[in-house]
Amino acid sequence: MSAAPALDNLFAQLDAMRHALHAGDLEDVERLLNRHDHDVRAFLHADDGRAAGCDNLASLLRAQLELQKTMQDAREQARIRMHASQRADRAARAYLSVVEG
């Protein structure tokens, strides 16, 4: 079994996810998120995690929640773009049906 990650590594994983999200690399975000979930669980069950203290764990939770908000905002923007694209497609089809009709 491998050693549990250090707290600094967990923060670095969040940064890596943020960079991948901004780069639009959603597959990497998913991979990093799964790794982070695994590593957080390992950290919390390890001696370092039990000794981390409330302030450090609260900081990690805040960083996770900030990233979650960023991801939700990105999802909402993607939803808006998708709906705009669908409206444009419907408008183009309607136009073509009148012109060709």
Side-chain angles (χ1 to χ4, degrees):
M1 183 174 158
S2 62
L7 187 60
D8 289 342
N9 291 345
L10 298 176
F11 281 103
Q13 289 174 345
L14 293 173
D15 287 338
M17 277 187 270
R18 189 173 298 105
H19 291 298
L21 181 63
H22 289 301
D25 189 351
L26 300 181
E27 290 179 8
D28 200 31
V29 173
E30 181 181 17
R31 181 187 61 75
L32 291 165
L33 182 60
N34 289 331
R35 181 82 232 163
H36 181 73
D37 178 63
H38 174 271
D39 288 352
V40 166
R41 292 170 193 273
F43 175 77
L44 292 174
H45 288 93
D47 291 338
D48 286 348
R50 288 190 293 274
C54 289
D55 290 341
N56 288 327
L57 294 176
S59 292
L60 180 62
L61 178 59
R62 274 191 301 277
Q64 290 170 331
L65 292 174
E66 288 171 9
L67 180 60
Q68 180 181 8
K69 174 73 168 99
T70 301
M71 293 172 86
Q72 289 169 337
D73 291 346
R75 181 184 64 202
E76 178 64 13
Q77 290 302 312
R79 185 191 67 77
I80 290 168
R81 286 190 304 272
M82 183 180 71
H83 285 299
S85 176
Q86 290 171 340
R87 282 191 307 274
D89 182 60
R90 284 193 299 272
R93 289 177 190 274
Y95 174 77
L96 287 174
S97 70
V98 170
V99 170
E100 294 172 351

